[in-house]
Amino acid sequence: MCEAAVDFARKNGGRFVEELKALLRIPSVSTDPEHAADVRRAAEFVAAELRRIGMENVRVVETSTPETIFASSSGPAQLVAERTGHPLVYADFLHAAPAADGRPATTVLLYGHYDVQPPEPLEEWISPPFEPEERDGNLYARGAVDDKGQMWMHVKALESLLATDGGRLPVNARVIIEGEEEVGGEGVAAFVREHPEELRADVALVSDTEMFAPDLPTLCVGLRGMIYTEIEARGARTDLHSGIYGGAAPNPLVALAQIVAKLKDESGHISIPHFYDRVAAPSDGELATWAALPFDAEHYRKKEVGSTALTGEAGFSILERTWARPTLDVHGIAGGFTGAGAKTVIPARAVAKVSMRLVPDMTPAESFALYKSYVESICPAGITLDVRPIHSGDPIVVSTENPYVRVATSAMRAVFGRETVFVRGGGSIPIVGDFIRELGTPTLLMGFGLPDDNLHAPNEKFHLANFHRGIESIIRFLVGAGEAQGQ
Ligand code: BES
Ligand code: MN
Ligand code: MN
């Protein structure tokens, strides 16, 4: 069964890529309200394909995201409004045969997202972001690897198995493909919370992370969480002439610059009191594993980051800084005049977008509360602040104490001919926390991106060899999971 499916995937690989290109042509940018119809079109595209390959109960499910505030540092978030969300796609196939001894068949929950990040700055793309182009064995487009291409590997692995085993699968499969991952939407979390029984699975498979290095099969066993915020600063009643009022009137842009400058010191340490109180150190075993990974800090600085120096906390390796330490970044500061030439104005209002990455055992609610009270405590005179959470996700570490880890490493050994490395990732995938917490489902983060795939940046790409190796790995994983049979 396995070899026939792998053979099918190899023979049809060219078609799989062409289909992926059609999906990549749909600009499903979830953060941009102007693209709401495109986001829906992408959901319909994915649903139609799941139906065509023989999955059942395929539905495009409407979602709404509760707009919440953190009422207190420890209590649950409070609902303030409901915002219509982007739809998610659900499908299942639940006819796998039980084992000879009567044990029920294994159920696998497959997760991916079809929404993408905005493509800007457009002028830096060599080929336009929504006109996929193959160059040097890579497929370039926004969403190529994050996550349309990787999600498509799941769909194509399912197709290959269904097509070569008389419309059957070796496992029961439930598929959730969401359209709000890149905006931290909670529609999918609500769906998971509302359907715990229907989503029950022995293992969840997520392909939305990276390989540590080319040709090195990788399982990601931890992700940072995050709290994304907005600080709005107001000064004067209205914009003012900076000659007439300059020297006497408060300037919200200067205030934001002063606040932002006090969030983190020169050595990369976040200045918010008690922010690090709950940071759990990685185990000695984990640190030893990381030290043995093929990592060249100089290559990372020059080729990946492309800067004259790396920054961050002294005493921690680059991998610790990006995987196991919290961080704080400013994504944008807006306000005042940035047009051509000059305008002498003191703006009345300015906004900064600031996020913090969290690590176990920090919580978004408590971290936000600490941040908010610190920001308010350093607010310059004459400025009023509104410090708002935009979205959040819990940090996670996934247990490797389940039989499916071995199924995954043998599947990838068969494809890559190498042993799998275990890493963490610095990014966030909010729903993984819900799979673990709400469903109690062990989750495997088996991703096939590369460190130079330009996620969230111009010229995002997917190395096509990894697209095909990913499909084959997933086919072998599903067959192996079927043999492991609900243990
Ligand atoms: N696929 C990424 C997350 C990722 C990338 C994890 C590489 C590990 C390695 C995901 O699509 C993403 O970008 N998530 C956002 C989450 C946020 C908007 C809630 C992130 O990390 O910024
Ligand atoms: Mn992603
Ligand atoms: Mn992303």
Side-chain angles (χ1 to χ4, degrees), residues 113 146 181-182 184 208-209 223 226 357 391 427-430 455-456:
H113 64 93
D146 184 13
E181 196 279 339
E182 298 291 7
D208 193 21
T209 51
L223 291 170
M226 80 128 69
R357 298 278 166 178
H391 62 66
S428 311
I429 309 175
L455 278 75
H456 293 203

Coordinates of all heavy atoms in Angstrom, one line a residue, residues 113 146 181-182 184 208-209 223 226 357 391 427-430 455-456, ligand 1:
H113 N -2.6 25.7 7.5 CA -3.3 27.0 7.2 C -3.2 27.4 5.8 O -2.1 27.2 5.2 CB -3.0 28.1 8.3 CG -1.6 28.6 8.2 ND1 -1.2 29.7 7.5 CD2 -0.5 28.2 8.9 CE1 0.1 29.9 7.7 NE2 0.6 29.0 8.6
D146 N 4.8 28.7 3.8 CA 4.1 29.0 5.0 C 2.7 29.5 4.6 O 2.5 30.7 4.4 CB 4.9 30.1 5.7 CG 4.2 30.5 7.1 OD1 3.3 29.8 7.5 OD2 4.6 31.5 7.7
E181 N -4.5 31.8 10.8 CA -3.3 31.5 11.6 C -2.4 32.7 11.7 O -1.9 33.1 12.7 CB -2.5 30.3 11.0 CG -1.5 29.7 12.0 CD -0.2 30.4 12.1 OE1 0.2 31.2 11.1 OE2 0.5 30.3 13.1
E182 N -2.2 33.4 10.5 CA -1.3 34.5 10.5 C -1.8 35.8 11.2 O -1.1 36.8 11.3 CB -1.0 34.9 9.0 CG -0.3 33.7 8.3 CD 1.2 33.4 8.7 OE1 1.6 34.0 9.7 OE2 1.8 32.6 8.1
G184 N -3.5 35.3 14.2 CA -3.8 34.9 15.6 C -5.3 34.7 15.8 O -5.8 34.9 17.0
D208 N 4.3 23.0 9.5 CA 4.3 24.4 9.4 C 5.5 25.0 10.1 O 5.6 26.1 10.6 CB 3.0 25.0 10.1 CG 2.8 26.4 9.8 OD1 3.3 26.9 8.8 OD2 2.0 27.1 10.5
T209 N 6.6 24.1 10.1 CA 7.8 24.5 10.7 C 9.0 24.3 9.7 O 8.7 23.9 8.6 CB 8.1 23.8 12.0 OG1 7.9 22.4 11.7 CG2 7.1 24.2 13.1
L223 N 7.6 25.4 20.7 CA 7.4 26.7 20.0 C 7.2 27.8 21.0 O 6.7 27.5 22.1 CB 6.1 26.6 19.2 CG 6.0 25.7 18.0 CD1 4.6 25.6 17.5 CD2 6.9 26.2 16.9
M226 N 3.2 33.9 22.2 CA 3.3 35.3 21.9 C 2.2 36.1 22.5 O 1.1 35.6 22.7 CB 3.6 35.6 20.5 CG 2.4 35.6 19.6 SD 2.4 37.1 18.7 CE 3.8 36.9 17.6
R357 N 7.6 37.4 22.4 CA 7.6 36.0 22.3 C 7.8 35.4 23.7 O 8.6 35.9 24.5 CB 8.8 35.5 21.4 CG 8.7 36.0 20.0 CD 7.8 35.2 19.1 NE 7.5 35.9 17.9 CZ 6.7 35.4 16.9 NH1 6.1 34.2 17.0 NH2 6.5 36.1 15.8
H391 N -3.5 39.8 19.8 CA -3.8 38.4 19.9 C -2.6 37.7 20.7 O -1.6 38.4 21.0 CB -3.9 37.8 18.5 CG -2.7 37.9 17.6 ND1 -1.5 37.2 17.9 CD2 -2.5 38.5 16.5 CE1 -0.7 37.5 17.0 NE2 -1.2 38.3 16.1
G427 N 9.1 30.6 16.4 CA 7.8 31.1 16.0 C 6.7 30.5 16.8 O 6.9 29.8 17.8
S428 N 5.5 30.9 16.4 CA 4.3 30.5 17.2 C 3.3 29.9 16.3 O 3.1 30.3 15.2 CB 3.7 31.7 17.9 OG 4.7 32.4 18.6
I429 N 2.6 28.8 16.8 CA 1.4 28.3 16.1 C 0.4 28.1 17.2 O 0.3 27.0 17.8 CB 1.7 27.0 15.3 CG1 3.0 27.1 14.4 CG2 0.5 26.5 14.5 CD1 3.4 25.8 13.8
P430 N -0.5 29.1 17.4 CA -1.3 29.1 18.6 C -2.2 27.8 18.7 O -2.3 27.4 19.9 CB -2.2 30.3 18.3 CG -1.4 31.2 17.5 CD -0.6 30.3 16.6
L455 N 10.4 33.0 5.0 CA 9.0 33.1 5.6 C 8.7 34.6 6.0 O 9.6 35.3 6.6 CB 8.9 32.3 6.9 CG 8.7 30.8 6.7 CD1 9.9 30.1 6.3 CD2 8.2 30.2 8.0
H456 N 7.5 35.0 5.7 CA 7.1 36.4 6.0 C 7.9 37.5 5.3 O 7.7 38.7 5.6 CB 7.1 36.6 7.5 CG 6.1 35.8 8.3 ND1 5.7 36.1 9.5 CD2 5.5 34.6 8.0 CE1 4.8 35.2 10.0 NE2 4.7 34.3 9.0
Ligands
BES1 N1 4.6 28.8 10.4 C1 4.7 29.9 11.3 C2 5.3 29.6 12.6 C3 6.7 29.0 12.6 C4 7.6 29.2 11.6 C5 7.1 28.2 13.7 C6 8.9 28.6 11.6 C7 8.3 27.6 13.7 C8 9.2 27.8 12.7 C9 3.4 30.6 11.5 O1 2.6 30.7 10.3 C10 3.5 32.0 12.0 O2 4.1 32.7 11.3 N2 3.0 32.2 13.1 C11 2.9 33.6 13.7 C12 1.9 33.4 14.7 C13 1.1 34.6 15.1 C14 0.6 35.5 14.1 C15 0.1 34.3 16.2 C16 4.2 34.0 14.2 O3 5.0 33.2 14.7 O4 4.5 35.2 14.1

